[in-house]
Amino acid sequence: MQKTDEVKQNSDGTRRELTNRHVSMIALGGTIGTGLFLGASNSIMKTGPSIIIVYAVLGLIFFLMMRAIGELMYADPSQHTFISFISKYLGHQAGHFALWTYWLGVIFVAMAELTAVSKYVQFWFPSWHTWTIQLVVLALLMCVNLIAVRLFGETEFWFAMIKVTAIVVMIIVGLGMVFMNYKTPVGHASFANITRGFTMFPNGWESFVAAFPMVFFSFQGMEFIGITTSETENPRKVLPKVINEILLRILIFYIGAIVVIMAIYPWQSLDPHTSPFVQVFELAGLKAAAAVINFVVLTAAASALNSYMYSAGRHFYQIALDSRAKAFKPFRKIAKSGVPARGVMFSAAMILLGPILNSLPQISDAFAFITSVSSDMYIIVYLMTMLAHRKYRESKQFDPQGFLMPAYKVTSPLVILFFVAVYISLFTNGTGILPAIGGLVWTAGFLGIQYLVKSMHEHGVNSIKIDE
């Protein structure tokens, strides 16, 4: 087997410049999004203390999925994205569908993040034009992605550090308030606030079930480490360490933060429209709490946008390699900096369309709908990745000495069934039904067109010129 760990530059010109420090913080940054800082109050209000169970279950499922992805990437660290294994083990058509689906999903989520960034900037500068902020931010992050992968790694490292610092400070401040039995407007800070009057389904089982897809999407992005592998210095050393730390990170940064929040404020007393971090810091006497958390969520959104641009560039490059159409030929080149520059620039241009679409009243609702559909499509891609992992296990390429998914015979079907259950649960939520149907329509339509084009080509009907 080729010793890819020793290679500093890949055969296609991409470079292995990401270190263990970069990948560890990228993994952590991908796990912690704006959902925790802004949306945790709403999740807690809907589900009560049982939200801890939701986070714990989903944390375990995502950890197991990452172990499956880690096993695939460990076996072949030269792949630019974990989705390449779908092509390898489920067939070219399935892989082509997954690549386009994931890329489009990344583009639409990035559009939403760009819109969010401008709103957070306007917190301080309300007179600044939205389109100016978005253009400047997108241009800056595109430059970060074009110069070198190491610069991207450094940027993500410090973005993630800001998020981690905010959570750690909140946990320390919160624990101090609990141990001092701090008086609050609704009582005293105490862990007893979590268990007092506990009911599993305080707002009905439907709210509990609806919390799973809501929290599921807050974990979205954890798979990002499966995209950095081909540009990591020592993937077979770094990957196992980073992935095995995921459970601990979820325990501390998600469950730990939520436990502290509910210990300070009885869950019935939280304001669902205000960040729980703002509520805790204001209670501790930090007058500038809203401004501080706005800065944190601004960096969180910018971090997500930076990562999505990196991911979109690599996936579009993979689409170009995967496609035989001549139109994609220019995108198969790697720049001297070791970056798929044309894929990054094209993806950035697509992201810039988002704010334009969102600003048009006639299609703003359609934009929100498409963004929801693209989020749902991640579940289908995750499901296909797990099926590809099962095929790998049955193939001759399977390495029994590799970085193996634990208790595979039990955990693999468990994760697959759970993903199916989460998608089905979207139909129990009124606002989730149409996007869930849209996801199924996209899947059926894309695969149907692929089958039709293939059949026409096989029968000599297709006249489109392709580049073999």
Side-chain angles (χ1 to χ4, degrees):
M1 185 177 289
Q2 184 185 0
K3 295 181 180 179
T4 41
D5 291 358
E6 300 174 1
V7 179
K8 296 299 180 185
Q9 180 163 312
N10 297 315
S11 58
D12 61 1
T14 53
R15 298 172 184 173
R16 295 186 177 275
E17 295 183 347
L18 295 176
T19 64
N20 178 43
R21 177 174 66 91
H22 294 139
V23 177
S24 294
M25 291 304 281
I26 286 169
L28 188 52
T31 309
I32 302 169
T34 54
L36 176 63
F37 294 105
L38 297 180
S41 291
N42 191 37
S43 302
I44 294 169
M45 287 294 291
K46 285 184 176 179
T47 317
S50 57
I51 193 68
I52 297 171
I53 298 170
V54 177
Y55 272 99
V57 169
L58 278 161
L60 177 62
I61 293 296
F62 266 83
F63 167 71
L64 292 172
M65 180 188 78
M66 289 311 305
R67 283 297 299 260
I69 290 175
E71 182 176 344
L72 291 168
M73 300 304 295
Y74 188 93
D76 186 2
S78 66
Q79 297 297 333
H80 283 279
T81 166
F82 67 95
I83 294 179
S84 301
F85 295 99
I86 296 176
S87 294
K88 190 172 182 179
Y89 295 109
L90 298 184
H92 178 268
Q93 283 185 297
H96 198 60
F97 161 77
L99 275 170
W100 273 107
T101 298
Y102 194 83
W103 179 77
L104 283 170
V106 166
I107 292 296
F108 277 105
V109 177
M111 288 177 178
E113 293 290 354
L114 183 59
T115 302
V117 166
S118 63
K119 289 180 180 177
Y120 300 142
V121 171
Q122 286 176 327
F123 177 88
W124 291 293
F125 307 102
S127 62
W128 287 13
H129 294 295
T130 300
W131 67 267
T132 306
I133 299 169
Q134 292 169 342
L135 195 61
V136 171
V137 169
L138 194 65
L140 286 173
L141 294 182
M142 186 177 72
C143 290
V144 166
N145 274 271
L146 289 176
I147 292 171
V149 70
R150 182 175 289 273
L151 179 60
F152 162 78
E154 282 296 323
T155 306
E156 278 305 291
F157 177 87
W158 291 109
F159 276 155
M161 186 66 76
I162 292 169
K163 292 187 280 187
V164 169
T165 302
I167 297 172
V168 170
V169 170
M170 195 280 291
I171 290 175
I172 292 172
V173 169
L175 288 175
M177 294 168 74
V178 168
F179 292 133
M180 289 188 300
N181 199 28
Y182 192 91
K183 192 177 187 314
T184 72
V186 289
H188 289 84
S190 169
F191 288 119
N193 288 330
I194 301 172
T195 55
R196 189 178 294 120
F198 175 81
T199 52
M200 189 70 175
F201 311 121
N203 292 310
W205 67 269
E206 298 94 340
S207 293
F208 181 76
V209 171
F212 278 91
M214 186 164 52
V215 175
F216 184 97
F217 295 130
S218 73
F219 280 140
Q220 192 172 293
M222 190 184 291
E223 77 285 350
F224 186 67
I225 20 177
I227 303 165
T228 62
T229 307
S230 68
E231 294 172 270
T232 302
E233 283 182 1
N234 299 293
R236 289 204 175 107
K237 180 181 178 183
V238 172
L239 263 182
K241 182 178 183 296
V242 171
I243 290 174
N244 283 334
E245 290 172 352
I246 285 174
L247 267 184
L248 182 62
R249 288 170 179 150
I250 291 169
L251 188 66
I252 295 173
F253 294 107
Y254 267 107
I255 297 176
I258 287 172
V259 166
V260 167
I261 289 166
M262 289 192 294
I264 296 169
Y265 276 99
W267 67 272
Q268 304 95 328
S269 304
L270 278 169
D271 181 356
H273 305 295
T274 305
S275 163
F277 284 72
V278 170
Q279 294 177 65
V280 170
F281 284 136
E282 283 182 340
L283 195 60
L286 180 62
K287 294 181 180 179
V292 170
I293 296 306
N294 188 75
F295 173 71
V296 173
V297 294
L298 171 60
T299 57
S303 169
L305 181 57
N306 194 35
S307 295
Y308 287 135
M309 197 176 299
Y310 174 96
S311 175
R314 271 66 184 173
H315 280 96
F316 200 78
Y317 171 68
Q318 193 64 44
I319 287 171
L321 294 179
D322 190 59
S323 176
R324 293 176 295 176
K326 286 184 178 180
F328 289 98
K329 193 172 183 179
F331 297 100
R332 296 173 197 156
K333 295 179 180 179
I334 297 294
K336 291 181 180 179
S337 59
V339 172
R342 294 179 181 180
V344 171
M345 288 188 287
F346 180 76
S347 298
M350 293 298 102
I351 293 169
L352 194 58
L353 291 176
I356 298 171
L357 296 175
N358 203 26
S359 66
L360 300 175
Q362 300 87 347
I363 57 176
S364 60
D365 289 341
F367 174 76
F369 171 74
I370 293 170
T371 304
S372 299
V373 171
S374 66
S375 293
D376 293 350
M377 293 308 305
Y378 274 77
I379 303 176
I380 295 174
V381 173
Y382 291 161
L383 183 59
M384 294 175 73
T385 304
M386 292 303 301
L387 294 174
H389 174 255
R390 291 185 68 82
K391 286 289 186 180
Y392 160 74
R393 277 291 185 119
E394 298 166 2
S395 72
K396 293 180 181 179
Q397 287 82 30
F398 170 58
D399 179 9
Q401 305 302 317
F403 179 52
L404 304 182
M405 182 183 187
Y408 159 78
K409 291 185 178 179
V410 175
T411 54
S412 176
L414 175 68
V415 174
I416 290 170
L417 288 172
F418 190 85
F419 286 158
V420 172
V422 168
Y423 203 96
I424 291 173
S425 73
L426 295 172
F427 292 92
T428 66
N429 182 355
T431 58
I433 294 174
L434 284 178
I437 293 172
L440 295 178
V441 169
W442 163 261
T443 303
F446 192 103
L447 295 178
I449 291 171
Q450 269 195 321
Y451 177 79
L452 181 63
V453 170
K454 184 181 177 183
S455 298
M456 291 172 65
H457 181 66
E458 287 175 351
H459 291 86
V461 179
N462 186 13
S463 61
I464 298 173
K465 293 183 179 180
I466 56 174
D467 178 20
E468 298 292 345

